[in-house]
């Protein structure tokens, strides 16, 4: 279920399968499994406040996380949430501990809308355990997914206050992506799904390759321009450079654009999408993405030419499966 925000349409950040909206979901998963097709879903460490009329009859994660004090908090000195270059005043461990024990002011996250959004504090062991339970019960048990996108590991606020008294936002910003990957790996292992399930991350740090199944480059501009424009060539360079840095299983989503037009560049042409498919057929994962404004741009799902290209290059990717198994 999606809703409109300033950048386009996106799902609600409440990682519960919408039982009513997807009333035949399990039949679909079973049918795909018979055909040898695995099902994947999407999550991230944000939890969003959803409208009252959507809370009835379903699990409401925002309320659970807020009650458990699992969110990154607002600093005791207030900070400046719009200016990442603000000076971070040092606080004593006692001040930090008092903030996390007694205050539940959620660090304000901009989501392009008017709902409140919180980021899970992964320095809090209880928060980690709770989120792993969400993954296990909702992603694996109910949704029946075999893989999922674990997005947004790059978003830990520098000016946030964290549960652990020895952690500050500046030093923890990069390490958060490691913790995010670790929590998801532990969720898989503790669910007994190690070996038949994996997850994708979009951000990483020094230890991320130890935990993540594959890494994805994004977000980028969907064009064929040179590296400075952030188009296809920059992604190819990123995959190669990531491999040298330990991120072995790199790939990118085909045709994601955020936003639709950057620096007056017209994005998502048929030619661009075909070239993107051609490149991705020779990476670790062949995966498409609607982008933030799929109704306003070229889409591969309603165009015969693009569907034919998608069939061709996905077949090339599938044909190379044995080769990938040998080298990976």
């Amino acid at each position: 279920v999606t809703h409109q925000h300033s950048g386009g349409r996106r799902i609600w950040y409440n990682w519960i399968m919408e039982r009513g909206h997807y009333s035949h979901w399990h039949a679909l998963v079973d049918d795909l499994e018979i055909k040898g097709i695995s099902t994947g879903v999407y999550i991230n460490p944000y939890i969003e406040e959803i409208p009252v009329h959507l809370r009835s009859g379903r699990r409401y994660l925002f309320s659970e996380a807020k009650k458990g004090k699992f969110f990154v908090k607002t600093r005791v000195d207030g900070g400046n949430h719009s200016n990442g270059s603000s000076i971070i005043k040092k606080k004593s461990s006692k001040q930090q501990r008092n903030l996390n024990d007694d205050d539940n002011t959620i660090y304000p996250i901009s989501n392009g809308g008017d709902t409140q959004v919180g980021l899970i504090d992964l320095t809090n062991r209880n928060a980690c355990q709770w989120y792993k339970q969400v993954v296990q019960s909702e992603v694996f048990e109910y949704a029946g997914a075999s893989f999922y996108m674990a997005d947004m590991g790059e978003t830990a606020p520098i000016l946030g206050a964290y549960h652990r008294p020895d952690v500050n936002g500046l030093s923890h910003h990069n390490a958060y992506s490691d913790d995010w990957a670790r929590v998801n790996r532990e969720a898989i292992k503790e669910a007994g799904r190690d070996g038949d399930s994996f997850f994708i991350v979009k951000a990483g740090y020094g230890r991320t390759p130890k935990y993540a199944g594959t890494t994805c480059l994004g977000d980028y501009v969907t064009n064929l321009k040179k590296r400075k424009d952030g188009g296809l060539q920059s992604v190819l360079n990123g995959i190669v450079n990531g491999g040298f840095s330990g991120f072995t299983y790199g790939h990118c989503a085909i045709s994601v654009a955020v936003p639709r037009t950057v620096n007056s560049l017209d994005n998502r042409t048929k030619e661009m999408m075909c070239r993107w498919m051609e490149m991705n057929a020779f990476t670790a994962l062949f995966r498409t993405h609607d982008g933030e404004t799929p109704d306003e741009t070229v889409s591969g799902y309603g165009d015969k030419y693009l569907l034919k290209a998608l069939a061709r290059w996905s077949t090339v990717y599938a044909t190379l499966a044995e080769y990938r198994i040998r080298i990976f």
Side-chain angles (χ1 to χ4, degrees):
V1 177
T2 62
H3 68 105
Q4 188 70 33
H5 69 110
S6 59
R9 296 196 65 83
R10 66 163 175 78
I11 57 176
W12 290 105
Y13 292 164
N14 184 55
W15 312 116
I16 306 300
M17 178 65 64
E18 299 293 340
R19 274 62 164 169
H21 187 77
Y22 298 103
S23 56
H24 302 292
W25 175 262
H26 292 117
L28 172 64
V29 173
D30 291 343
D31 183 56
L32 292 173
E33 186 175 3
I34 291 173
K35 298 175 181 178
I37 302 173
S38 299
T39 305
V41 296
Y42 174 95
I43 64 170
N44 66 51
Y46 288 145
I47 306 293
E48 183 173 13
E49 181 184 35
I50 61 175
V52 175
H53 71 278
L54 292 177
R55 300 177 193 174
S56 178
R58 74 193 68 193
R59 188 177 178 185
Y60 183 30
L61 297 184
F62 186 87
S63 176
E64 293 181 25
K66 186 175 182 179
K67 183 178 180 180
K69 298 185 178 182
F70 296 154
F71 288 126
V72 175
K73 311 297 195 308
T74 299
R75 284 204 340 246
V76 70
D77 61 1
N80 183 337
H81 307 299
S82 62
N83 184 0
S85 63
S86 297
I87 296 174
I88 298 178
K89 298 178 181 179
K90 292 185 178 180
K91 305 185 293 297
S92 67
S93 296
K94 183 177 180 180
Q95 284 179 305
Q96 178 72 59
R97 191 175 298 111
N98 287 342
L99 170 68
N100 289 305
D101 288 345
D102 302 327
D103 184 66
N104 197 29
T105 304
I106 301 170
Y107 185 91
I109 302 291
S110 175
N111 69 331
D114 56 2
T115 56
Q116 189 175 20
V117 179
L119 180 72
I120 298 299
D121 185 348
L122 300 181
T123 71
N124 183 336
R125 291 186 179 182
N126 291 332
C128 293
Q129 288 300 122
W130 173 80
Y131 202 95
K132 285 190 287 185
Q133 187 274 328
V134 171
V135 172
Q136 292 161 357
S137 61
E138 299 299 329
V139 173
F140 294 138
E141 293 179 18
Y142 189 85
S146 298
F147 67 96
Y148 60 97
M149 179 77 171
D151 204 0
M152 303 292 190
E154 73 276 16
T155 54
I158 293 175
L159 298 173
Y162 294 84
H163 179 78
R164 276 180 50 188
D166 61 329
V167 168
N168 66 68
L170 186 60
S171 64
H172 186 61
H173 176 75
N174 288 348
Y176 188 91
S177 57
D178 279 344
D179 289 341
W180 175 232
R182 173 184 54 79
V183 166
N184 283 281
R185 172 55 58 196
E186 290 175 355
I188 289 176
K189 185 175 181 180
E190 293 169 13
R193 300 292 299 270
D194 216 1
D196 72 344
S197 298
F198 72 96
F199 62 96
I200 305 162
V201 295
K202 194 180 67 179
Y205 194 44
R207 295 180 293 119
T208 302
K210 176 181 178 181
Y211 305 115
T214 179
T215 52
C216 170
L217 277 77
D219 299 315
Y220 39 78
V221 182
T222 50
N223 59 55
L224 304 175
K225 303 295 181 179
K226 296 179 181 180
R227 289 178 294 176
K228 65 179 182 179
D229 293 320
L232 183 144
Q233 293 185 39
S234 69
V235 172
L236 181 58
N237 278 274
I239 293 173
V240 174
N241 291 337
F244 283 116
S245 302
F247 293 87
T248 309
Y249 308 123
H251 78 289
C252 65
I254 297 169
S255 79
V256 61
V258 49
R260 177 173 177 250
T261 302
V262 174
N263 297 331
S264 299
L265 295 172
D266 190 16
N267 305 314
R268 289 179 70 123
T269 63
K270 291 184 181 182
E271 168 72 5
M272 180 280 301
M273 290 190 70
C274 289
R275 293 301 183 188
W276 218 285
M277 294 176 197
E278 182 180 11
M279 180 183 74
N280 264 31
F282 301 96
T283 64
L285 196 65
F286 189 88
R287 182 172 65 91
T288 61
H289 193 298
D290 286 346
E292 291 197 338
T293 54
D295 297 334
E296 302 174 20
T297 57
V298 174
S299 173
Y301 307 120
D303 184 277
K304 291 183 179 180
Y305 179 83
L306 290 177
L307 283 173
K308 185 177 180 180
L310 182 62
R312 177 185 180 182
W313 291 112
S314 60
T315 300
V316 170
Y317 174 82
T319 303
L320 294 171
E322 187 176 341
Y323 170 74
R324 287 193 300 274
I325 291 172
R326 288 204 304 267
I327 64 173
F328 290 165

